Amino acid sequence: MLAFGDSITNAGGELQWGVALQSWALWMARALGMPYTGFAVDGATVADVVAQQIPTFERRTANLAGRYHVGCLYIGVNDVRSIDWDADAFAADFDTALRYVAGRCDRVLTATAPLALGRPPAGAKVRDLNRIVRNTADRLGALVVDLSSFGARNHVMVDRVHPTAFGQISIAERALAVLTADGLAPRATPASMIQYRTTRWTRLRGDSTYIYRDLKARARAAIDLYRLRRYLAQQAAERN
């Protein structure tokens, strides 16, 4: 399995009920019994995939002509959350990246972004992103994991961007369901590979920690939104 993307695919972070936070693509590879090769980088945009991750893959791979059973590309979250979001530029680079993966993999898997993405929320731009992802995937014959409704409390961190350990597993199982429907079934489910146990005290402590972090994130998002509106107002005033 070959994977490109941003921090969501690169993963890494704190435990959740003792379960390690690992990449959804890595969970997929483990479930399918495949070796995993990942080039995702935290904070990456689609332009970074084209300009950095793909060239890095070409420099480091032992067999450039070799093929992979599954190629994963989940990108766009950082693009769409930027005030410089450019749908046309994203579409062009996404086509390039997905076409590259399709040229080296028997099956190609990409994903949409959650509609309730980020704090402050990315808003209606996410629908534009998802439309581009679906249209490009349809044109190139790639499979799409629908994450538009993804966002359960125990699946997403308080920033409403990064999946938790259980969230990564949930994404992996959604992706595996798409692959299964296409004729490639896993040998096991990611959920069957973990063990955890909770108590009333650990659940209470977890809820308290979440509430505290959530309040901090809301306050930070409110400040960021105020600064953004002020910046946009200044830009509009300068143009006039």
PDB file of all heavy atoms in Angstrom, residues 180-210:
ATOM      1  N   THR A 180     -13.911  -3.442  -0.038  1.00  0.00           N
ATOM      2  CA  THR A 180     -14.643  -4.713  -0.053  1.00  0.00           C
ATOM      3  C   THR A 180     -15.700  -4.724  -1.153  1.00  0.00           C
ATOM      4  O   THR A 180     -15.866  -5.715  -1.877  1.00  0.00           O
ATOM      5  CB  THR A 180     -15.301  -4.967   1.317  1.00  0.00           C
ATOM      6  OG1 THR A 180     -14.281  -5.056   2.319  1.00  0.00           O
ATOM      7  CG2 THR A 180     -16.094  -6.261   1.304  1.00  0.00           C
ATOM      8  N   ALA A 181     -16.402  -3.599  -1.279  1.00  0.00           N
ATOM      9  CA  ALA A 181     -17.420  -3.496  -2.327  1.00  0.00           C
ATOM     10  C   ALA A 181     -16.803  -3.566  -3.718  1.00  0.00           C
ATOM     11  O   ALA A 181     -17.466  -3.941  -4.691  1.00  0.00           O
ATOM     12  CB  ALA A 181     -18.202  -2.189  -2.161  1.00  0.00           C
ATOM     13  N   ASP A 182     -15.505  -3.236  -3.799  1.00  0.00           N
ATOM     14  CA  ASP A 182     -14.793  -3.281  -5.083  1.00  0.00           C
ATOM     15  C   ASP A 182     -14.083  -4.621  -5.287  1.00  0.00           C
ATOM     16  O   ASP A 182     -13.360  -4.779  -6.266  1.00  0.00           O
ATOM     17  CB  ASP A 182     -13.779  -2.129  -5.144  1.00  0.00           C
ATOM     18  CG  ASP A 182     -13.268  -1.890  -6.556  1.00  0.00           C
ATOM     19  OD1 ASP A 182     -14.097  -1.631  -7.459  1.00  0.00           O
ATOM     20  OD2 ASP A 182     -12.030  -1.976  -6.760  1.00  0.00           O
ATOM     21  N   GLY A 183     -14.261  -5.546  -4.348  1.00  0.00           N
ATOM     22  CA  GLY A 183     -13.708  -6.878  -4.525  1.00  0.00           C
ATOM     23  C   GLY A 183     -12.448  -7.188  -3.758  1.00  0.00           C
ATOM     24  O   GLY A 183     -11.856  -8.257  -3.928  1.00  0.00           O
ATOM     25  N   LEU A 184     -12.009  -6.275  -2.895  1.00  0.00           N
ATOM     26  CA  LEU A 184     -10.805  -6.501  -2.092  1.00  0.00           C
ATOM     27  C   LEU A 184     -11.181  -6.450  -0.618  1.00  0.00           C
ATOM     28  O   LEU A 184     -11.278  -5.383  -0.022  1.00  0.00           O
ATOM     29  CB  LEU A 184      -9.739  -5.453  -2.403  1.00  0.00           C
ATOM     30  CG  LEU A 184      -8.395  -5.616  -1.670  1.00  0.00           C
ATOM     31  CD1 LEU A 184      -7.743  -6.952  -2.031  1.00  0.00           C
ATOM     32  CD2 LEU A 184      -7.450  -4.455  -2.002  1.00  0.00           C
ATOM     33  N   ALA A 185     -11.383  -7.620  -0.035  1.00  0.00           N
ATOM     34  CA  ALA A 185     -11.828  -7.696   1.354  1.00  0.00           C
ATOM     35  C   ALA A 185     -10.636  -7.852   2.296  1.00  0.00           C
ATOM     36  O   ALA A 185      -9.641  -8.493   1.943  1.00  0.00           O
ATOM     37  CB  ALA A 185     -12.780  -8.876   1.533  1.00  0.00           C
ATOM     38  N   PRO A 186     -10.725  -7.291   3.502  1.00  0.00           N
ATOM     39  CA  PRO A 186      -9.635  -7.423   4.476  1.00  0.00           C
ATOM     40  C   PRO A 186      -9.607  -8.816   5.093  1.00  0.00           C
ATOM     41  O   PRO A 186     -10.605  -9.552   5.072  1.00  0.00           O
ATOM     42  CB  PRO A 186      -9.974  -6.363   5.525  1.00  0.00           C
ATOM     43  CG  PRO A 186     -11.475  -6.274   5.471  1.00  0.00           C
ATOM     44  CD  PRO A 186     -11.828  -6.463   4.025  1.00  0.00           C
ATOM     45  N   ARG A 187      -8.462  -9.160   5.674  1.00  0.00           N
ATOM     46  CA  ARG A 187      -8.319 -10.421   6.396  1.00  0.00           C
ATOM     47  C   ARG A 187      -8.838 -10.291   7.823  1.00  0.00           C
ATOM     48  O   ARG A 187      -9.128 -11.283   8.482  1.00  0.00           O
ATOM     49  CB  ARG A 187      -6.850 -10.846   6.405  1.00  0.00           C
ATOM     50  CG  ARG A 187      -6.292 -11.137   5.019  1.00  0.00           C
ATOM     51  CD  ARG A 187      -4.792 -11.384   5.073  1.00  0.00           C
ATOM     52  NE  ARG A 187      -4.284 -11.696   3.741  1.00  0.00           N
ATOM     53  CZ  ARG A 187      -4.139 -12.919   3.261  1.00  0.00           C
ATOM     54  NH1 ARG A 187      -4.502 -13.948   4.014  1.00  0.00           N
ATOM     55  NH2 ARG A 187      -3.662 -13.121   2.060  1.00  0.00           N
ATOM     56  N   ALA A 188      -8.905  -9.054   8.303  1.00  0.00           N
ATOM     57  CA  ALA A 188      -9.412  -8.775   9.649  1.00  0.00           C
ATOM     58  C   ALA A 188      -9.863  -7.325   9.685  1.00  0.00           C
ATOM     59  O   ALA A 188      -9.550  -6.548   8.776  1.00  0.00           O
ATOM     60  CB  ALA A 188      -8.332  -9.028  10.696  1.00  0.00           C
ATOM     61  N   THR A 189     -10.606  -6.959  10.698  1.00  0.00           N
ATOM     62  CA  THR A 189     -11.018  -5.565  10.851  1.00  0.00           C
ATOM     63  C   THR A 189     -10.076  -4.864  11.823  1.00  0.00           C
ATOM     64  O   THR A 189      -9.580  -5.486  12.774  1.00  0.00           O
ATOM     65  CB  THR A 189     -12.456  -5.462  11.387  1.00  0.00           C
ATOM     66  OG1 THR A 189     -12.496  -6.026  12.712  1.00  0.00           O
ATOM     67  CG2 THR A 189     -13.419  -6.196  10.479  1.00  0.00           C
ATOM     68  N   PRO A 190      -9.806  -3.590  11.619  1.00  0.00           N
ATOM     69  CA  PRO A 190      -8.953  -2.870  12.568  1.00  0.00           C
ATOM     70  C   PRO A 190      -9.473  -2.930  14.002  1.00  0.00           C
ATOM     71  O   PRO A 190      -8.691  -3.042  14.941  1.00  0.00           O
ATOM     72  CB  PRO A 190      -8.974  -1.446  12.017  1.00  0.00           C
ATOM     73  CG  PRO A 190      -9.161  -1.617  10.549  1.00  0.00           C
ATOM     74  CD  PRO A 190     -10.096  -2.778  10.426  1.00  0.00           C
ATOM     75  N   ALA A 191     -10.786  -2.875  14.160  1.00  0.00           N
ATOM     76  CA  ALA A 191     -11.358  -2.913  15.506  1.00  0.00           C
ATOM     77  C   ALA A 191     -11.028  -4.209  16.228  1.00  0.00           C
ATOM     78  O   ALA A 191     -10.931  -4.240  17.460  1.00  0.00           O
ATOM     79  CB  ALA A 191     -12.866  -2.717  15.442  1.00  0.00           C
ATOM     80  N   SER A 192     -10.842  -5.280  15.470  1.00  0.00           N
ATOM     81  CA  SER A 192     -10.523  -6.566  16.092  1.00  0.00           C
ATOM     82  C   SER A 192      -9.063  -6.653  16.520  1.00  0.00           C
ATOM     83  O   SER A 192      -8.669  -7.605  17.210  1.00  0.00           O
ATOM     84  CB  SER A 192     -10.841  -7.712  15.122  1.00  0.00           C
ATOM     85  OG  SER A 192      -9.931  -7.722  14.031  1.00  0.00           O
ATOM     86  N   MET A 193      -8.259  -5.669  16.128  1.00  0.00           N
ATOM     87  CA  MET A 193      -6.827  -5.701  16.430  1.00  0.00           C
ATOM     88  C   MET A 193      -6.468  -4.940  17.700  1.00  0.00           C
ATOM     89  O   MET A 193      -5.302  -4.900  18.087  1.00  0.00           O
ATOM     90  CB  MET A 193      -6.034  -5.108  15.254  1.00  0.00           C
ATOM     91  CG  MET A 193      -6.230  -5.816  13.945  1.00  0.00           C
ATOM     92  SD  MET A 193      -5.296  -4.998  12.630  1.00  0.00           S
ATOM     93  CE  MET A 193      -5.989  -5.807  11.190  1.00  0.00           C
ATOM     94  N   ILE A 194      -7.451  -4.309  18.324  1.00  0.00           N
ATOM     95  CA  ILE A 194      -7.157  -3.513  19.514  1.00  0.00           C
ATOM     96  C   ILE A 194      -7.855  -4.100  20.732  1.00  0.00           C
ATOM     97  O   ILE A 194      -8.847  -4.818  20.607  1.00  0.00           O
ATOM     98  CB  ILE A 194      -7.594  -2.042  19.333  1.00  0.00           C
ATOM     99  CG1 ILE A 194      -9.118  -1.952  19.105  1.00  0.00           C
ATOM    100  CG2 ILE A 194      -6.851  -1.401  18.167  1.00  0.00           C
ATOM    101  CD1 ILE A 194      -9.650  -0.537  19.101  1.00  0.00           C
ATOM    102  N   GLN A 195      -7.308  -3.761  21.889  1.00  0.00           N
ATOM    103  CA  GLN A 195      -7.919  -4.134  23.155  1.00  0.00           C
ATOM    104  C   GLN A 195      -7.873  -2.917  24.079  1.00  0.00           C
ATOM    105  O   GLN A 195      -6.861  -2.223  24.142  1.00  0.00           O
ATOM    106  CB  GLN A 195      -7.170  -5.303  23.805  1.00  0.00           C
ATOM    107  CG  GLN A 195      -7.283  -6.607  23.047  1.00  0.00           C
ATOM    108  CD  GLN A 195      -6.573  -7.739  23.757  1.00  0.00           C
ATOM    109  OE1 GLN A 195      -5.858  -7.538  24.727  1.00  0.00           O
ATOM    110  NE2 GLN A 195      -6.794  -8.960  23.279  1.00  0.00           N
ATOM    111  N   TYR A 196      -8.955  -2.660  24.759  1.00  0.00           N
ATOM    112  CA  TYR A 196      -8.977  -1.557  25.712  1.00  0.00           C
ATOM    113  C   TYR A 196     -10.059  -1.823  26.751  1.00  0.00           C
ATOM    114  O   TYR A 196     -10.973  -2.602  26.540  1.00  0.00           O
ATOM    115  CB  TYR A 196      -9.237  -0.216  25.003  1.00  0.00           C
ATOM    116  CG  TYR A 196     -10.600  -0.100  24.363  1.00  0.00           C
ATOM    117  CD1 TYR A 196     -11.653   0.502  25.038  1.00  0.00           C
ATOM    118  CD2 TYR A 196     -10.835  -0.592  23.072  1.00  0.00           C
ATOM    119  CE1 TYR A 196     -12.918   0.605  24.450  1.00  0.00           C
ATOM    120  CE2 TYR A 196     -12.074  -0.488  22.478  1.00  0.00           C
ATOM    121  CZ  TYR A 196     -13.115   0.110  23.178  1.00  0.00           C
ATOM    122  OH  TYR A 196     -14.352   0.212  22.600  1.00  0.00           O
ATOM    123  N   ARG A 197      -9.923  -1.146  27.866  1.00  0.00           N
ATOM    124  CA  ARG A 197     -10.897  -1.286  28.954  1.00  0.00           C
ATOM    125  C   ARG A 197     -11.057   0.067  29.629  1.00  0.00           C
ATOM    126  O   ARG A 197     -10.079   0.765  29.859  1.00  0.00           O
ATOM    127  CB  ARG A 197     -10.418  -2.326  29.970  1.00  0.00           C
ATOM    128  CG  ARG A 197     -11.418  -2.611  31.088  1.00  0.00           C
ATOM    129  CD  ARG A 197     -10.925  -3.753  31.946  1.00  0.00           C
ATOM    130  NE  ARG A 197      -9.696  -3.392  32.640  1.00  0.00           N
ATOM    131  CZ  ARG A 197      -9.669  -2.788  33.832  1.00  0.00           C
ATOM    132  NH1 ARG A 197     -10.803  -2.451  34.439  1.00  0.00           N
ATOM    133  NH2 ARG A 197      -8.522  -2.501  34.404  1.00  0.00           N
ATOM    134  N   THR A 198     -12.290   0.434  29.898  1.00  0.00           N
ATOM    135  CA  THR A 198     -12.548   1.710  30.569  1.00  0.00           C
ATOM    136  C   THR A 198     -13.235   1.463  31.914  1.00  0.00           C
ATOM    137  O   THR A 198     -13.830   0.408  32.133  1.00  0.00           O
ATOM    138  CB  THR A 198     -13.447   2.615  29.712  1.00  0.00           C
ATOM    139  OG1 THR A 198     -14.748   2.007  29.585  1.00  0.00           O
ATOM    140  CG2 THR A 198     -12.853   2.830  28.328  1.00  0.00           C
ATOM    141  N   THR A 199     -13.112   2.433  32.771  1.00  0.00           N
ATOM    142  CA  THR A 199     -13.812   2.412  34.047  1.00  0.00           C
ATOM    143  C   THR A 199     -14.602   3.705  34.183  1.00  0.00           C
ATOM    144  O   THR A 199     -14.422   4.638  33.388  1.00  0.00           O
ATOM    145  CB  THR A 199     -12.828   2.309  35.225  1.00  0.00           C
ATOM    146  OG1 THR A 199     -12.017   3.502  35.255  1.00  0.00           O
ATOM    147  CG2 THR A 199     -11.924   1.089  35.075  1.00  0.00           C
ATOM    148  N   ARG A 200     -15.446   3.757  35.169  1.00  0.00           N
ATOM    149  CA  ARG A 200     -16.226   4.978  35.388  1.00  0.00           C
ATOM    150  C   ARG A 200     -15.312   6.158  35.631  1.00  0.00           C
ATOM    151  O   ARG A 200     -15.548   7.258  35.123  1.00  0.00           O
ATOM    152  CB  ARG A 200     -17.168   4.781  36.570  1.00  0.00           C
ATOM    153  CG  ARG A 200     -18.062   5.975  36.853  1.00  0.00           C
ATOM    154  CD  ARG A 200     -19.005   5.676  37.998  1.00  0.00           C
ATOM    155  NE  ARG A 200     -19.866   6.807  38.280  1.00  0.00           N
ATOM    156  CZ  ARG A 200     -20.774   6.828  39.242  1.00  0.00           C
ATOM    157  NH1 ARG A 200     -20.945   5.747  40.010  1.00  0.00           N
ATOM    158  NH2 ARG A 200     -21.522   7.897  39.441  1.00  0.00           N
ATOM    159  N   TRP A 201     -14.228   5.938  36.391  1.00  0.00           N
ATOM    160  CA  TRP A 201     -13.301   7.027  36.695  1.00  0.00           C
ATOM    161  C   TRP A 201     -12.553   7.491  35.444  1.00  0.00           C
ATOM    162  O   TRP A 201     -12.424   8.694  35.197  1.00  0.00           O
ATOM    163  CB  TRP A 201     -12.313   6.587  37.762  1.00  0.00           C
ATOM    164  CG  TRP A 201     -11.131   7.503  37.889  1.00  0.00           C
ATOM    165  CD1 TRP A 201      -9.825   7.209  37.645  1.00  0.00           C
ATOM    166  CD2 TRP A 201     -11.152   8.880  38.275  1.00  0.00           C
ATOM    167  NE1 TRP A 201      -9.021   8.302  37.841  1.00  0.00           N
ATOM    168  CE2 TRP A 201      -9.812   9.353  38.236  1.00  0.00           C
ATOM    169  CE3 TRP A 201     -12.160   9.769  38.643  1.00  0.00           C
ATOM    170  CZ2 TRP A 201      -9.469  10.666  38.554  1.00  0.00           C
ATOM    171  CZ3 TRP A 201     -11.812  11.083  38.960  1.00  0.00           C
ATOM    172  CH2 TRP A 201     -10.485  11.510  38.915  1.00  0.00           C
ATOM    173  N   THR A 202     -12.071   6.558  34.631  1.00  0.00           N
ATOM    174  CA  THR A 202     -11.332   6.963  33.439  1.00  0.00           C
ATOM    175  C   THR A 202     -12.244   7.665  32.433  1.00  0.00           C
ATOM    176  O   THR A 202     -11.820   8.582  31.739  1.00  0.00           O
ATOM    177  CB  THR A 202     -10.648   5.761  32.772  1.00  0.00           C
ATOM    178  OG1 THR A 202     -11.636   4.755  32.470  1.00  0.00           O
ATOM    179  CG2 THR A 202      -9.581   5.177  33.665  1.00  0.00           C
ATOM    180  N   ARG A 203     -13.503   7.225  32.364  1.00  0.00           N
ATOM    181  CA  ARG A 203     -14.447   7.915  31.468  1.00  0.00           C
ATOM    182  C   ARG A 203     -14.721   9.331  31.950  1.00  0.00           C
ATOM    183  O   ARG A 203     -14.784  10.275  31.156  1.00  0.00           O
ATOM    184  CB  ARG A 203     -15.748   7.120  31.351  1.00  0.00           C
ATOM    185  CG  ARG A 203     -15.625   5.813  30.579  1.00  0.00           C
ATOM    186  CD  ARG A 203     -16.986   5.256  30.220  1.00  0.00           C
ATOM    187  NE  ARG A 203     -17.761   4.921  31.405  1.00  0.00           N
ATOM    188  CZ  ARG A 203     -17.719   3.740  32.005  1.00  0.00           C
ATOM    189  NH1 ARG A 203     -16.918   2.787  31.553  1.00  0.00           N
ATOM    190  NH2 ARG A 203     -18.478   3.497  33.075  1.00  0.00           N
ATOM    191  N   LEU A 204     -14.879   9.518  33.272  1.00  0.00           N
ATOM    192  CA  LEU A 204     -15.114  10.836  33.837  1.00  0.00           C
ATOM    193  C   LEU A 204     -13.915  11.736  33.609  1.00  0.00           C
ATOM    194  O   LEU A 204     -14.057  12.908  33.224  1.00  0.00           O
ATOM    195  CB  LEU A 204     -15.407  10.721  35.335  1.00  0.00           C
ATOM    196  CG  LEU A 204     -15.621  12.038  36.096  1.00  0.00           C
ATOM    197  CD1 LEU A 204     -16.812  12.791  35.522  1.00  0.00           C
ATOM    198  CD2 LEU A 204     -15.821  11.772  37.584  1.00  0.00           C
ATOM    199  N   ARG A 205     -12.725  11.188  33.814  1.00  0.00           N
ATOM    200  CA  ARG A 205     -11.519  11.971  33.580  1.00  0.00           C
ATOM    201  C   ARG A 205     -11.379  12.344  32.114  1.00  0.00           C
ATOM    202  O   ARG A 205     -11.012  13.476  31.768  1.00  0.00           O
ATOM    203  CB  ARG A 205     -10.287  11.171  34.030  1.00  0.00           C
ATOM    204  CG  ARG A 205      -8.980  11.951  33.931  1.00  0.00           C
ATOM    205  CD  ARG A 205      -7.845  11.148  34.509  1.00  0.00           C
ATOM    206  NE  ARG A 205      -7.668   9.894  33.771  1.00  0.00           N
ATOM    207  CZ  ARG A 205      -6.791   8.952  34.134  1.00  0.00           C
ATOM    208  NH1 ARG A 205      -6.077   9.101  35.228  1.00  0.00           N
ATOM    209  NH2 ARG A 205      -6.678   7.856  33.400  1.00  0.00           N
ATOM    210  N   GLY A 206     -11.715  11.403  31.233  1.00  0.00           N
ATOM    211  CA  GLY A 206     -11.660  11.695  29.809  1.00  0.00           C
ATOM    212  C   GLY A 206     -12.656  12.764  29.400  1.00  0.00           C
ATOM    213  O   GLY A 206     -12.339  13.655  28.601  1.00  0.00           O
ATOM    214  N   ASP A 207     -13.869  12.684  29.949  1.00  0.00           N
ATOM    215  CA  ASP A 207     -14.882  13.699  29.636  1.00  0.00           C
ATOM    216  C   ASP A 207     -14.452  15.077  30.135  1.00  0.00           C
ATOM    217  O   ASP A 207     -14.641  16.084  29.437  1.00  0.00           O
ATOM    218  CB  ASP A 207     -16.219  13.318  30.280  1.00  0.00           C
ATOM    219  CG  ASP A 207     -16.885  12.136  29.591  1.00  0.00           C
ATOM    220  OD1 ASP A 207     -16.487  11.825  28.451  1.00  0.00           O
ATOM    221  OD2 ASP A 207     -17.794  11.540  30.193  1.00  0.00           O
ATOM    222  N   SER A 208     -13.869  15.134  31.328  1.00  0.00           N
ATOM    223  CA  SER A 208     -13.430  16.410  31.889  1.00  0.00           C
ATOM    224  C   SER A 208     -12.322  17.021  31.044  1.00  0.00           C
ATOM    225  O   SER A 208     -12.317  18.232  30.778  1.00  0.00           O
ATOM    226  CB  SER A 208     -12.946  16.212  33.326  1.00  0.00           C
ATOM    227  OG  SER A 208     -13.984  15.717  34.145  1.00  0.00           O
ATOM    228  N   THR A 209     -11.388  16.185  30.614  1.00  0.00           N
ATOM    229  CA  THR A 209     -10.297  16.667  29.766  1.00  0.00           C
ATOM    230  C   THR A 209     -10.824  17.187  28.439  1.00  0.00           C
ATOM    231  O   THR A 209     -10.397  18.239  27.944  1.00  0.00           O
ATOM    232  CB  THR A 209      -9.282  15.536  29.512  1.00  0.00           C
ATOM    233  OG1 THR A 209      -8.755  15.095  30.758  1.00  0.00           O
ATOM    234  CG2 THR A 209      -8.141  16.018  28.629  1.00  0.00           C
ATOM    235  N   TYR A 210     -11.788  16.460  27.876  1.00  0.00           N
ATOM    236  CA  TYR A 210     -12.359  16.886  26.592  1.00  0.00           C
ATOM    237  C   TYR A 210     -13.057  18.233  26.730  1.00  0.00           C
ATOM    238  O   TYR A 210     -12.893  19.122  25.888  1.00  0.00           O
ATOM    239  CB  TYR A 210     -13.339  15.836  26.078  1.00  0.00           C
ATOM    240  CG  TYR A 210     -13.911  16.178  24.719  1.00  0.00           C
ATOM    241  CD1 TYR A 210     -13.300  15.724  23.561  1.00  0.00           C
ATOM    242  CD2 TYR A 210     -15.059  16.974  24.591  1.00  0.00           C
ATOM    243  CE1 TYR A 210     -13.807  16.040  22.310  1.00  0.00           C
ATOM    244  CE2 TYR A 210     -15.566  17.300  23.354  1.00  0.00           C
ATOM    245  CZ  TYR A 210     -14.938  16.832  22.221  1.00  0.00           C
ATOM    246  OH  TYR A 210     -15.433  17.161  20.992  1.00  0.00           O
TER     247      TYR A 210
END
